[in-house]
Amino acid sequence: MKSARLSSAALLVAIFATTGSAHRLDEYLQATRIAVEKDRIDLEIDLTPGAAVADRIVGAIDRDRNGEISLTEKEMYAATLLASLTLKVDSETRRLKISDLVFPSIDEMHRGEGVLRLRTTASIGRAKAGAHRLTFANAHWPDIGAYLVNALVPTDERVHITGQSRDHLQREFTLEYNVSTGRASVPLASVLPVLLSLTLAATLYAVARRLP
Amino acid sequence: MKRLPLVSISILLTVLVAAIAARPVATQQSTGGAATASKIVAAANAFLGMLDTAERAKAAYPFDSPQKTNWSNLPSGAYQRNSLRLGDLTPPKQAAVMAVVAAALSAEGYRKVTDIMNADEVLKESRGGQTGARAGAPARGGRGAAFGKEEYYIAILGTPSNTSPWMIQFGGHHLAINVTIAGNDNVLTPSLPAAQPARYTLNGQTIRPLGKENDKAFALMATLNAEQRKQAILNYRVSDLVLGPLQDGKTIQPEGILATALNANQQSMLIDLAKEWVGILNDEGAAARLAEIRSNLPRTYFAWSGATENGGIAYFRIQGPTVVIEYAPQQNDLDHIHTIYRDPTNDYGARLVSK
């Protein structure tokens, strides 16, 4: 059985290698985007097994080999994935909770087109004003992994990214950021018309009251 | 009593002036050509007018249809586009499709599109004319990926108009062209020009669909001094697009060298490099987008990963307030290139439509 699977994988490699393909072949692409908010860290992780390594990944997911991915199998694989991720903020390990999980079909994975989408979040409480350091490490399938990791521009204007660094393969990522105090500022352009309208209304009201 | 109108008028004028002054600068810059817009509308109406009911059902969508984001770099068969397939049309209707594309794009942009489609035809032929990705797979409609010039699709979202926004979506394997037209202005973002093979021979000519992108980027890198390279070159491998398909609405923290750290000649080369993507669009639309990119140069970054000598494999990214361009060879293969062009403020014409 095992040798048959290996032969199948080898055949796929041969087909794709000789004819060209639209798809990733012998790598397991793992793209992570990190969003830093004032009270939490959100991680979007997209995992795409190449066609030539899909058998290995499918085998790790579809444990009963029935050709379908059950909820239990999804949760077990997600737990394995989370166990291979490390997120720290200011040297303190943060627990990642799954907020969304979408699996492709086994067939899509065999074609090298299936994307497993995992969304996680880690609560960090109300971040204190000042400098902070986030570190993220991904040790999931390191022998075939191809990694991307990027920080998203913070939506909260009080969070400012000041630096980022990675190892050559993007398995390890460090993000430096500052949190400032005060309320999030609102762009002047969006409030100016409202303020002026209110001023206009108040002025008209005041003038009208003076009229006989 | 006489003072009331005077007070009201003066306050209203103040409000008006303040509101105009408070508008974002970028929204004041977009101008386009009425003639070009009319030409695109005419081509789209001519195409739609040739379709029967079944074809029209596949080609025409409401402007805000989910079809808007239904594009991919993947070949048909591997990705369900839903829209109208070139191979299912008669030659005159196929010509009408390409006339729509030609009307919306520049001459150079149209050439790039056809070069990418011809590359896919070469890919198909290299497979012995077979379209199935796996032995025994059906050529279309099933599990098999399908390649070749017939495997490109068109959708028109909204009603072609000189006033209301509408959109042309054309694409297939290694190609996604999304042109949103609003009045006389239009945008190309998001779009994905890619190529495999990235070099082939057709009618005795060597074709490199994305050759200028590659060569101009390496030429720019060659002008960077040691200090500039230190800032531009990322010390890590980038193996794919970061903001490819399905990554709408995301903005990553920029990296690399800020354009203000480049000299005037290098800045011109950077703009010229970006023009390879922006200039796919018709000349009027492209000019407006390039003006925005130029005005935002002080906040634009250029990042590089990989070899610095032409002929090597390198990823690069141009990122500014109104532009994200990525160029990513796939799995260390110079013959398989993916790229993406986005405008964080104007994907699917978001800024034009909100006017």
Side-chain angles (χ1 to χ4, degrees):
Chain A
M1 181 70 180
K2 189 178 177 185
S3 63
R5 216 176 278 132
L6 283 173
S7 302
S8 162
L11 179 63
L12 264 178
V13 172
I15 289 171
F16 281 113
T18 54
T19 62
S21 157
H23 327 301
R24 192 158 292 275
L25 306 177
D26 57 356
E27 291 180 332
Y28 189 11
L29 181 65
Q30 302 175 36
T32 303
R33 293 169 297 278
I34 300 176
V36 179
E37 303 295 339
K38 203 169 180 186
D39 58 350
R40 69 179 196 282
I41 308 293
D42 293 330
L43 266 61
E44 302 176 350
I45 308 173
D46 294 342
L47 304 104
T48 313
V53 297
D55 267 351
R56 292 177 63 186
I57 310 303
V58 169
I61 297 171
D62 182 23
R63 296 196 179 195
D64 61 8
R65 308 287 196 272
N66 71 347
E68 291 179 5
I69 307 173
S70 68
L71 180 60
T72 304
E73 287 171 335
K74 288 178 183 177
E75 289 173 347
M76 286 176 72
Y77 188 79
T80 305
L81 171 59
L82 287 187
S84 58
L85 307 177
T86 307
L87 177 73
K88 293 182 180 178
V89 177
D90 299 332
S91 302
E92 189 180 328
T93 301
R94 306 292 172 157
R95 184 166 162 264
L96 289 164
K97 286 178 65 178
I98 297 171
S99 56
D100 195 21
L101 181 61
V102 178
F103 274 73
S105 70
I106 288 176
D107 192 45
E108 286 173 321
M109 282 192 274
H110 277 304
R111 291 201 307 260
E113 297 144 11
V115 184
L116 193 166
R117 302 180 197 285
L118 178 74
R119 302 294 179 260
T120 70
T121 190
S123 173
I124 55 172
R126 297 295 293 178
K128 291 179 183 171
H132 297 273
R133 169 179 287 192
L134 175 156
T135 60
F136 172 74
N138 184 348
H140 193 57
W141 291 89
D143 58 327
I144 53 174
Y147 304 88
L148 296 172
V149 55
N150 287 87
L152 296 175
V153 171
T155 55
D156 190 327
E157 290 184 351
R158 292 167 294 186
V159 180
H160 295 274
I161 292 173
T162 55
Q164 44 184 329
S165 60
R166 302 162 177 81
D167 69 328
H168 181 68
L169 294 176
Q170 299 202 60
R171 288 178 185 167
E172 295 173 5
F173 177 65
T174 300
L175 186 72
E176 313 278 352
Y177 64 97
N178 262 320
V179 175
S180 58
T181 55
R183 295 173 186 277
S185 64
V186 180
L188 180 64
S190 63
V191 296
L192 195 56
V194 177
L195 288 175
L196 288 170
S197 299
L198 287 173
T199 307
L200 172 65
T203 307
L204 287 174
Y205 177 72
V207 171
R209 283 199 64 183
R210 279 194 216 153
L211 294 175
Chain B
M1 184 68 185
K2 285 179 186 171
R3 287 173 58 193
L4 183 58
L6 271 178
V7 171
S8 302
I9 288 167
S10 61
I11 291 174
L12 276 171
L13 280 174
T14 307
V15 171
L16 191 63
V17 170
I20 290 170
R23 288 174 67 212
V25 172
T27 61
Q28 298 175 44
Q29 294 171 337
S30 47
T31 56
T36 297
S38 295
K39 187 175 74 172
I40 306 170
V41 168
N45 281 331
F47 159 64
L48 290 171
M50 295 171 77
L51 303 181
D52 62 31
T53 306
E55 291 166 340
R56 200 178 174 93
K58 285 188 168 185
Y61 299 82
F63 181 66
D64 290 322
S65 160
Q67 178 66 25
K68 190 178 282 189
T69 57
N70 188 11
W71 54 272
S72 171
N73 59 296
L74 293 171
S76 63
Y79 184 84
Q80 189 72 36
R81 285 182 173 78
N82 298 332
S83 43
L84 191 57
R85 177 178 170 266
L86 269 185
D88 292 335
L89 297 174
T90 61
K93 290 175 182 175
Q94 289 182 5
V97 170
M98 298 314 292
V100 174
V101 177
L105 305 185
S106 65
E108 180 69 8
Y110 184 74
R111 181 201 59 76
K112 202 166 287 189
V113 163
T114 53
D115 283 353
I116 290 168
M117 294 170 71
N118 284 328
D120 211 51
E121 189 70 18
V122 170
L123 191 62
K124 174 183 166 184
E125 293 306 319
S126 74
R127 303 167 71 90
Q130 304 213 347
T131 57
R134 303 171 81 185
R140 290 194 65 250
R143 290 152 47 136
F147 302 94
K149 287 193 289 188
E150 293 188 335
E151 302 299 334
Y152 288 81
Y153 293 71
I154 188 164
I156 304 289
L157 291 89
T159 305
S161 162
N162 288 89
T163 52
S164 304
W166 62 288
M167 181 176 152
I168 299 165
Q169 185 178 71
F170 180 75
H173 187 211
H174 284 146
L175 180 68
I177 295 291
N178 294 302
V179 179
T180 304
I181 300 124
N184 296 336
D185 209 350
N186 51 81
V187 297
L188 181 66
T189 45
S191 281
L192 185 151
Q196 184 191 25
R199 178 194 291 266
Y200 60 91
T201 303
L202 186 68
N203 300 326
Q205 281 194 315
T206 299
I207 309 290
R208 298 169 66 212
L210 304 175
K212 286 183 181 175
E213 288 82 345
N214 176 86
D215 296 347
K216 287 182 177 181
F218 277 103
L220 172 58
M221 273 306 288
T223 69
L224 267 56
N225 63 32
E227 178 54 34
Q228 289 172 321
R229 286 185 177 215
K230 194 175 165 187
Q231 296 175 59
I233 295 176
L234 310 173
N235 68 340
Y236 56 88
R237 174 195 177 207
V238 185
S239 57
D240 210 335
L241 300 174
V242 177
L243 294 173
L246 302 175
Q247 303 306 324
D248 293 341
K250 291 167 188 168
T251 305
I252 58 171
Q253 187 69 18
E255 293 176 281
I257 187 169
L258 199 52
T260 49
L262 302 173
N263 64 36
N265 180 51
Q266 291 166 335
Q267 289 179 358
S268 295
M269 293 176 80
L270 183 66
I271 295 285
D272 192 44
L273 175 59
K275 194 179 175 185
E276 286 301 323
W277 283 265
V278 182
I280 293 172
L281 188 60
N282 57 76
D283 295 343
E284 291 80 6
R289 306 287 83 79
L290 281 170
E292 292 169 349
I293 293 171
R294 275 195 197 92
S295 71
N296 284 311
L297 263 186
R299 292 191 289 159
T300 299
Y301 293 78
F302 177 58
W304 187 274
S305 171
T308 54
E309 297 290 328
N310 201 347
I313 291 173
Y315 162 95
F316 64 85
R317 181 192 310 146
I318 300 170
Q319 184 176 358
T322 64
V323 63
V324 175
I325 288 169
E326 291 183 87
Y327 177 100
Q330 299 295 291
Q331 290 213 271
N332 293 324
D333 186 357
L334 275 177
D335 212 30
H336 186 180
I337 311 294
H338 286 185
T339 83
I340 189 83
Y341 165 40
R342 289 182 178 277
D343 179 343
T345 70
N346 220 358
D347 273 358
Y348 308 104
R351 181 152 44 87
L352 298 186
V353 171
S354 69
K355 275 185 181 176

